[in-house]
């Protein structure tokens, strides 16, 4: 029965092999029609991170810090719960009828210690519920609300 379920699941998609020994989880979110946060955050298993805030974020520029090992565990749990390795790697096509125009794109890269790697490109509404659930779960693990998000009002051109 397990073999039958595995055969029907579609298997892994977009998985590559990278150098072993440098595991990371990277969440990048991009431009949208208004003032969505634009940033890249790289998390390591020991909980250290590198954050590049670009636009519409709490702090622009590069910063680093530590979130603790729970951040890595929570991010991995979110990725596993989404079935990350089996998701289509590009879920951004605007020609899909449910794709919401003007929404930001997100890019998620997961590289394991063994070098197993995948990057998922996602736009809300273009993919399944897995992506819609994964982005908020990763944001929570990476402490998005404390490090990236701000209630500050921005001009759409980024001039503040």
């Amino acid at each position: 029965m397990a073999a039958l379920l595995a055969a029907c699941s579609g298997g892994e998609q977009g998985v590559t092999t990278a150098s072993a020994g440098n595991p990371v989880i990277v969440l990048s979110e991009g431009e949208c029609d208004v003032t969505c946060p634009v940033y890249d955050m790289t998390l390591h298993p020991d909980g250290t991170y590198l954050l590049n805030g670009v636009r519409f974020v709490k702090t622009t520029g590069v910063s680093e810090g530590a979130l603790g090992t729970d951040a890595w565990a929570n991010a991995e749990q979110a990725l596993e719960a989404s079935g990350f390795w089996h998701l289509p790697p590009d879920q951004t096509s605007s020609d899909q009828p449910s794709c919401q125009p003007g929404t930001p794109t997100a890019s998620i890269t997961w590289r394991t210690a063994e070098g197993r790697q995948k990057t998922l490109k996602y736009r809300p509404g273009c993919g399944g519920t897995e992506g819609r659930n994964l982005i908020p779960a990763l944001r929570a693990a990476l402490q998005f609300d404390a490090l990236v998000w701000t209630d500050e009002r921005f001009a759409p051109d980024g001039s503040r």
Side-chain angles (χ1 to χ4, degrees), residues 43 67 70-76 78 136-144:
L43 180 67
L67 300 175
D70 285 351
W72 180 266
N74 292 338
E76 275 193 320
L138 281 178
R139 283 178 167 185
L142 300 175
Q143 297 183 19
F144 173 87

Side-chain angles (χ1 to χ4, degrees), residues 13-31:
Q13 297 185 46
V15 179
T16 61
T17 303
S19 299
N22 186 21
V24 293
I25 296 171
V26 181
L27 175 60
S28 300
E29 293 193 66
E31 301 278 344

Side-chain angles (χ1 to χ4, degrees), residues 24-95:
V24 293
I25 296 171
V26 181
L27 175 60
S28 300
E29 293 193 66
E31 301 278 344
C32 70
D33 284 350
V34 283
T35 57
C36 299
V38 179
Y39 68 96
D40 306 292
M41 186 167 184
T42 302
L43 180 67
H44 300 275
D46 64 358
T48 59
Y49 69 86
L50 184 68
L51 172 61
N52 180 29
V54 180
R55 290 173 51 155
F56 312 122
V57 293
K58 187 174 286 190
T59 306
T60 57
V62 177
S63 60
E64 54 189 324
L67 300 175
T69 55
D70 285 351
W72 180 266
N74 292 338
E76 275 193 320
Q77 182 180 7
L79 289 159
E80 290 290 353
S82 75
F84 182 79
W85 301 111
H86 299 275
L87 294 175
D90 188 351
Q91 299 182 31
T92 61
S93 178
S94 60
D95 63 356

Side-chain angles (χ1 to χ4, degrees), residues 78 81-83 87-88 91 96 98 120 122-137:
S82 75
L87 294 175
Q91 299 182 31
Q96 294 189 22
S98 63
L120 168 68
Y122 179 80
R123 180 182 298 274
C126 296
T129 57
E130 300 87 354
R132 273 194 304 277
N133 295 333
L134 177 56
I135 302 300

